Amino acid sequence: MGKGRYLVRRLVYIVFVFFIISILMFFIYKSMPGDPVRMMLGDVSQSMKPDAYQALYDRTYLQLGLDKPLVVQYFIWIGNMLTGNFGYSTQYKRDVIEVIGTPMLNTLMLNAVSMLVVFAISIPLGIATAVRKNGVFDKFIQVITIVGYSLPSFIIALLLIFAFAVKIPIFPISGVRSPGFSGNGFEMFLDTAWHMALPAIVMSISGIGSITRYVRAEMIDVLRMDYIKTARAKGLKEKTVIYVHAFRNALIPIVTIATAWVVALFGGSVVIESVFLWPGLGKMLIDGLMQRDFSIVLTMQMFYVILALAGNVIMDIAYTIVDPRVRLEN
Amino acid sequence: MAKKQKDAGRKSTAAAAAERMFMGGMPQEEQDEELMQSPLRMVVTSFIKDKIAVVGLCLFVVIFLCCMILPFFFPIELNYQDVTQANAAPGFGLLKVPDSLQGNVQALSVGSTFSVGLDKDGNVYEWGTFPTEKLKSIPAASEMGPLTQISAGYDHVLAVNAEGQIFTWGNDRMGLTSIPVELEVSRQPIKQISAGHQFSLALTENGRLYNWGSSYLLSIYFPEGVQGNIAQFEDNPNIVIALTNDGRVEPLSNKPSAYTNVPEEVQGNTVDIALSDESAAALTADGQVYTWGNNVYGSMNVPEEIQGHVVDIEGGRYHYTAILDDGTVTSWGNNNFGQTNAPKMTGVTDVFTNYFGSYAIDENGNAESWGLDGYLMGTDQLGRDVFRRLLLGGRMTMTVGFIAVIISTFIGVLVGGISGYKGGKIDNLLMRLTEIVSSIPFLPFCIILSSILGNSISELQRIILIMFILGLLSWPGIARLVRGSVLAEREQEFVTAAKALGVKEFGIILRHILPNIITVIIVNATLDFATCMLTESSLSFIGFGVTEPNATWGNMLNGAQNGQVIENYWWRWLFPAIAFGVCTISINCVGDGLRDAIDPKSKER
């Protein structure tokens, strides 16, 4: 089977998974308390005559298709969701699609930076510890990383806030921008980066802990293989052996775990965003739940589902790139 | 011959013969027999060699036992809270009278988490944990002169010198420093002073009561003919009660409450009054104690044997202390901090009781104390002991994590086992299901489920819900692992043999395959336990897991989300964070150690 057909098969399968999960989400949507029509209309009831409001209500009721059977309602709902018609936010008094832009950007920024930091540190570190396994350096990193991935992110956050925002006030405690900040684009960028430092460090620490350990374990497994001995016997440089022969082969399981980690990272940023008052999707989700603004909540949930599935797709594509054997898989 | 017998004892002769045949009849070496170890013993031996894992195991066992056993010795009511004890710093010695004051005591007063005292020369002493740093800035002795009376409140102190001049220090907001002009300008002899919960009271010799400070909680209303006729007063954060010169008890409030329900038989006959947080007590001339109000924590259960012998009575938050006519002291009421463990002493001349502490003074001017001596880890914003909640929280976090792991392991083993053993279409179906569950974004989904399902159910149901959400969403990992192991095991010869012998499928899975993969399951369950605890506390931390008043290590940190708390009340977040960190690190160390121990390949690592 070729790469292309393999990918197509996986894509079809992921679309299938998406529909299964979306049915689950639809039931959550149906079980949410409150009248969806009233929520959608928002507070227009105050500015309209009762009979005019009733007419509008009935029209919207039909428009939302609430009189139709559940199956039809599901397809109307999923159609709305897929075309960006996420409903009306009672909290912001605007359509959801209009208010999720900035938070999405903030979250993507924070997660992308953490991701870069984690991969830039943990992959070289994992390789280095695997090569020097059982040495002092390796033992030291082992202890540090077990602490890193055992501590929950919010405890790391509290410790770092205490150290670097309270005792030695280098970084701001929360927010995304200094209040009343004005300046050109570059200064704005610096200000945001300064605010992002602490949350990004916190998110990176737990990631570095687990990914480093994983890279190390995989590398050790690979370094024991016979083809590594062959490569060394051929007289290849140690660098070539490690980075070309060994790492390339260790990469396959690393891709799996890294993708799963990235998806979890986005989910986990809910906690970080609420600690650092970072105005991203996670904070929006929590605020939405607190304010019972369910259109927002459901849109966020949809985002996380799509993200998880996109992670799966990326994983599949990455497989086909790093592992030539994939195309032979049935 | 002896050798042969031993062989026969070890295995059946047929098997021995078969072995001889295959092994070319070579007699087995004695050493081989010693090297033979059961897999479990091998795991244990190599686990013990792993020092980090053993230390982790010990730490975890200690934490686990603490959280399971110590709550019985340090009980705490879930709904208990006390505003007067909020945010007390960790430390002991709240009731430790300074040595230089012993034998020289003129007056003492118990404040919220500190005490003040006067020696016979009128010098001030302060000890305990101070709610505000301002309490340490006592006015200079040269400025005040010898003091005659002193009173400690929630976070301020009131004192009077011989000339009737009033001094106050500590909290200086809410008008606590604005001593009424009448008392400032025309100094009058002061009969009694009291520093209350952010308000101050002073009674002059001519029976007039003055109050200043916060009127937020307390409003004072003088019934007809009471002002100017007051002999004594007592206060708590809710009400002031006065004893008039003609022995009547008058609540200074125009709103009916539990305190205003004064029994008729004490009116005109009372010599002393006392007030606790929920009830009041009056002492009549014949030494009888009458109580009224709400009987919270048994503060109204006056011991029968003291009736008729009481000469003086004082009230704390939920307890009373009385001096008896034989010069001994006794206390009754709530004993959660040992408030009623009165010392056996005689010749008591005076007692000072308030909040959770009591002092008794004998005729030599020596003071003995009992009651709340301090908090090991301080208190939180509602005045609850952090140490006791830490123990309860640990128990809750571990219970939730444990049951969630049991649920997820059960589902995981079931799904993985069936899928691996059956193969084919069932395998395909179950693995797709596993993939679907593992594609669900975990934390957001937990949040949304617990918030939608959890808002109309009781606390206990909510906790069970959290366990099930965690259990039902975290099984895919273990299912994949079990499936892989079962796939490997089912091709083994002993399974074929069992099939050939006609063992039922269920029996094969349970008796022949499961024992071989149980170590894998245990290791994974251990690591999952840490993950479940982590998820539970993350959920509780952002307020979507186990909620107040139930404690978990996650929701104890919930209040610590702002910089002010992180900086000033470090004990509120640092202790739970350390406990939780040590716990998850040790569990992960144990899990890693176990994994290395059962995996012979990893020995080379």
Side-chain angles (χ1 to χ4, degrees):
Chain A
M1 195 191 281
K3 272 184 191 183
R5 271 186 65 198
Y6 170 75
L7 275 181
V8 169
R9 238 180 66 122
R10 290 296 300 172
L11 276 177
V12 169
Y13 167 67
I14 276 165
V15 170
F16 166 73
V17 171
F18 173 77
F19 275 98
I20 300 275
I21 295 182
S22 71
I23 290 171
L24 208 66
M25 305 252 306
F26 177 68
F27 279 105
I28 290 179
Y29 165 69
K30 290 306 278 183
S31 63
M32 278 173 179
D35 181 349
V37 181
R38 218 172 278 280
M39 267 182 207
M40 178 147 191
L41 293 179
D43 49 8
V44 283
S45 61
Q46 281 123 37
S47 57
M48 285 174 86
K49 285 188 187 123
D51 50 336
Y53 179 75
Q54 190 57 41
L56 180 68
Y57 182 94
D58 291 341
R59 214 160 47 241
T60 323
Y61 187 83
L62 289 179
Q63 205 181 332
L64 284 175
L66 291 174
D67 55 332
K68 301 199 172 68
L70 267 182
V71 184
V72 182
Q73 280 192 39
Y74 165 72
F75 281 105
I76 294 176
W77 174 78
I78 193 75
N80 279 340
M81 276 291 167
L82 290 178
T83 50
N85 188 2
F86 300 125
Y88 183 80
S89 158
T90 50
Q91 191 185 348
Y92 300 93
K93 314 270 179 240
R94 272 155 74 193
D95 278 346
V96 173
I97 188 84
E98 293 171 28
V99 291
I100 55 172
T102 323
M104 199 175 277
L105 194 71
N106 283 335
T107 295
L108 285 176
M109 198 160 63
L110 181 60
N111 284 284
V113 169
S114 318
M115 237 146 61
L116 282 180
V117 172
V118 167
F119 289 133
I121 293 178
S122 62
I123 289 179
L125 198 61
I127 295 174
T129 47
V131 172
R132 299 171 182 76
K133 72 171 178 212
N134 293 336
V136 178
F137 174 70
D138 179 36
K139 285 264 155 67
F140 176 71
I141 296 295
Q142 288 287 294
V143 173
I144 300 279
T145 49
I146 206 166
V147 172
Y149 86 82
S150 298
L151 283 181
S153 53
F154 57 89
I155 287 183
I156 301 176
L158 289 176
L159 291 172
L160 287 190
I161 289 178
F162 186 65
F164 297 115
V166 172
K167 285 287 154 192
I168 316 165
I170 315 174
F171 296 115
I173 287 182
S174 59
V176 69
R177 198 152 291 157
S178 309
F181 183 81
S182 63
N184 60 30
F186 183 65
E187 283 166 348
M188 199 108 106
F189 167 75
L190 282 184
D191 187 58
T192 309
W194 180 55
H195 278 79
M196 197 159 60
L198 269 189
I201 292 172
V202 171
M203 289 177 83
S204 307
I205 285 179
S206 36
I208 290 172
S210 50
I211 303 275
T212 305
R213 288 179 79 84
Y214 205 81
V215 171
R216 174 181 176 274
E218 289 306 327
M219 277 301 281
I220 286 174
D221 278 352
V222 171
L223 283 173
R224 262 206 305 267
M225 295 288 171
D226 287 340
Y227 57 78
I228 298 295
K229 287 187 188 126
T230 313
R232 285 195 177 126
K234 278 199 304 187
L236 289 180
K237 273 187 225 149
E238 191 61 21
K239 266 195 178 150
T240 322
V241 173
I242 290 167
Y243 290 100
V244 178
H245 289 75
F247 183 63
R248 185 84 195 265
N249 282 288
L251 208 55
I252 301 149
I254 291 172
V255 165
T256 319
I257 204 85
T259 320
W261 172 76
V262 168
V263 172
L265 183 74
F266 272 86
S269 77
V270 172
V271 177
I272 302 294
E273 285 175 14
S274 98
V275 176
F276 288 97
L277 303 179
W278 184 262
L281 295 179
K283 189 159 181 306
M284 205 164 186
L285 172 70
I286 288 179
D287 287 348
L289 280 171
M290 298 274 189
Q291 309 286 330
R292 317 206 68 70
D293 186 356
F294 291 115
S295 307
I296 292 261
V297 171
L298 215 60
T299 313
M300 294 300 111
Q301 193 63 24
M302 208 64 176
F303 170 79
Y304 287 116
V305 169
I306 288 178
L307 185 87
L309 296 178
N312 278 335
V313 175
I314 292 169
M315 187 153 67
D316 285 332
I317 295 175
Y319 270 158
T320 58
I321 294 170
V322 297
D323 188 358
R325 286 169 298 181
V326 162
R327 76 183 75 139
L328 301 172
E329 208 177 286
N330 51 12
Chain B
M1 192 64 205
K3 171 90 178 162
K4 201 175 174 185
Q5 265 179 351
K6 202 176 170 191
D7 264 3
R10 195 156 49 108
K11 49 187 94 156
S12 72
T13 39
E19 193 178 301
R20 290 238 175 87
M21 208 161 76
F22 287 119
M23 295 181 120
M26 289 271 284
Q28 271 194 318
E29 296 284 326
E30 285 288 307
Q31 284 168 333
D32 272 10
E33 218 172 344
E34 277 170 26
L35 279 174
M36 280 284 280
Q37 273 185 335
S38 75
L40 192 71
R41 250 180 71 191
M42 219 167 72
V43 168
V44 172
T45 353
S46 64
F47 181 81
I48 288 174
K49 280 189 197 132
D50 190 343
K51 283 198 194 74
I52 296 177
V54 171
V55 171
L57 185 64
C58 295
L59 271 178
F60 174 71
V61 168
V62 167
I63 296 175
F64 177 80
L65 289 180
C66 281
C67 291
M68 292 296 157
I69 295 168
L70 287 184
F72 294 106
F73 296 100
F74 300 97
I76 182 170
E77 271 181 62
L78 281 181
N79 292 313
Y80 172 87
Q81 40 179 278
D82 196 310
V83 66
T84 64
Q85 302 294 302
N87 295 324
F92 288 101
L94 263 52
L95 298 176
K96 197 181 178 306
V97 181
D99 291 339
S100 45
L101 189 58
Q102 282 291 16
N104 195 19
V105 179
Q106 180 189 181
L108 293 173
S109 179
V110 187
S112 56
T113 53
F114 65 100
S115 297
V116 291
L118 284 183
D119 65 11
K120 287 187 172 143
D121 305 321
N123 296 316
V124 183
Y125 296 81
E126 275 187 337
W127 61 96
T129 307
F130 301 112
T132 148
E133 288 297 304
K134 291 173 188 162
L135 276 168
K136 288 183 184 159
S137 46
I138 306 168
S142 54
E143 186 193 328
M144 297 196 289
L147 297 172
T148 55
Q149 294 179 56
I150 194 157
S151 174
Y154 167 59
D155 56 0
H156 73 292
V157 176
L158 210 58
V160 181
N161 67 8
E163 291 143 28
Q165 190 181 0
I166 295 175
F167 299 92
T168 178
W169 65 92
N171 184 4
D172 50 11
R173 291 174 298 126
M174 312 206 201
L176 281 173
T177 48
S178 48
I179 297 162
V181 191
E182 300 95 304
L183 298 176
E184 277 285 274
V185 180
S186 55
R187 298 242 171 92
Q188 306 166 50
I190 303 287
K191 194 171 181 187
Q192 188 188 353
I193 51 169
S194 174
H197 190 81
Q198 300 181 330
F199 59 84
S200 298
L201 296 156
L203 177 67
T204 61
E205 283 291 351
N206 56 22
R208 288 190 73 83
L209 181 64
Y210 295 90
N211 69 298
W212 65 99
S214 162
S215 56
Y216 177 65
L217 288 170
L218 175 89
S219 62
I220 292 179
Y221 163 83
F222 292 99
E224 194 64 30
V226 169
Q227 183 68 297
N229 191 24
I230 299 173
Q232 189 196 342
F233 69 89
E234 292 293 333
D235 63 278
N236 72 13
N238 308 308
I239 198 169
V240 179
I241 290 186
L243 173 66
T244 61
N245 288 325
D246 44 5
R248 288 186 62 83
V249 178
E250 295 286 356
L252 301 185
S253 167
N254 53 0
K255 277 185 260 145
S257 62
Y259 313 103
T260 59
N261 199 10
V262 186
E264 266 316 306
E265 55 266 41
V266 304
Q267 294 294 27
N269 195 17
T270 305
V271 292
D272 193 10
I273 53 172
L275 198 55
S276 75
D277 196 56
E278 292 279 348
S279 66
L283 174 66
T284 56
D286 55 354
Q288 292 274 346
V289 176
Y290 294 85
T291 54
W292 66 97
N294 300 321
N295 195 358
V296 175
Y297 303 123
S299 61
M300 283 165 66
N301 304 342
V302 186
E304 272 308 312
E305 63 273 18
I306 68 163
Q307 290 290 20
H309 300 288
V310 180
V311 293
D312 189 14
I313 182 166
E314 291 269 336
R317 287 286 286 171
Y318 302 105
H319 73 288
Y320 292 99
T321 300
I323 308 182
L324 306 186
D325 49 11
D326 57 358
T328 60
V329 283
T330 186
S331 297
W332 67 92
N334 194 12
N335 196 27
N336 60 338
F337 297 120
Q339 299 101 304
T340 62
N341 300 341
K344 290 191 172 37
M345 56 190 286
T346 51
V348 175
T349 56
D350 212 350
V351 290
F352 299 96
T353 291
N354 210 343
Y355 295 95
F356 297 96
S358 302
Y359 295 95
I361 307 207
D362 63 15
E363 56 261 85
N364 303 325
N366 286 319
E368 283 256 10
S369 65
W370 67 100
L372 171 67
D373 193 44
Y375 298 97
L376 181 63
M377 296 180 182
T379 61
D380 65 6
Q381 72 276 26
L382 296 172
R384 299 173 295 194
D385 190 338
V386 170
F387 175 62
R388 294 180 189 209
R389 277 180 73 75
L390 190 70
L391 297 176
L392 274 192
R395 196 163 69 173
M396 179 65 82
T397 301
M398 284 187 208
T399 314
V400 172
F402 187 73
I403 294 179
V405 164
I406 297 280
I407 295 171
S408 80
T409 307
F410 180 75
I411 301 176
V413 170
L414 203 68
V415 170
I418 293 174
S419 165
Y421 188 79
K422 287 281 187 186
K425 273 188 182 152
I426 296 179
D427 177 28
N428 211 347
L429 192 76
L430 287 177
M431 278 303 107
R432 293 295 87 85
L433 179 72
T434 312
E435 235 171 291
I436 290 170
V437 175
S438 62
S439 323
I440 292 174
F442 189 70
L443 205 60
F445 207 74
C446 288
I447 292 173
I448 206 165
L449 275 185
S450 95
S451 120
I452 287 173
L453 300 176
N455 56 13
S456 55
I457 53 178
S458 75
E459 269 306 311
L460 185 69
Q461 284 171 323
R462 200 183 158 83
I463 293 167
I464 295 171
L465 175 79
I466 301 291
M467 293 172 183
F468 273 86
I469 291 177
L470 291 182
L472 290 178
L473 286 179
S474 57
W475 57 265
I478 209 155
R480 288 205 185 104
L481 211 82
V482 169
R483 175 179 172 268
S485 311
V486 170
L487 271 179
E489 292 295 329
R490 76 166 186 188
E491 303 302 327
Q492 301 273 324
E493 275 140 19
F494 61 84
V495 177
T496 322
K499 271 184 192 161
L501 284 170
V503 180
K504 286 203 183 89
E505 245 179 25
F506 190 68
I508 293 177
I509 296 178
L510 212 66
R511 302 269 295 277
H512 297 271
I513 294 182
L514 200 64
N516 281 294
I517 60 169
I518 195 80
T519 38
V520 178
I521 296 173
I522 291 173
V523 170
N524 230 270
T526 315
L527 294 170
D528 267 6
F529 179 46
T531 317
C532 276
M533 281 173 59
L534 223 98
T535 319
E536 182 278 322
S537 42
S538 297
L539 278 179
S540 301
F541 176 68
I542 49 179
F544 293 94
V546 178
T547 47
E548 301 261 339
N550 283 297
T552 79
W553 285 339
N555 74 15
M556 286 180 75
L557 294 165
N558 187 310
Q561 282 197 38
N562 68 64
Q564 211 196 345
V565 174
I566 293 175
E567 182 173 11
N568 298 329
Y569 309 127
W570 52 268
W571 57 90
R572 270 170 53 188
W573 59 271
L574 191 62
F575 292 120
I578 289 175
F580 192 28
V582 170
C583 195
T584 46
I585 290 171
S586 57
I587 293 172
N588 277 331
C589 287
V590 172
D592 273 6
L594 274 178
R595 190 167 52 192
D596 289 352
I598 62 159
D599 184 8
K601 201 173 68 175
S602 67
K603 272 195 194 128
E604 294 170 37
R605 281 181 194 170

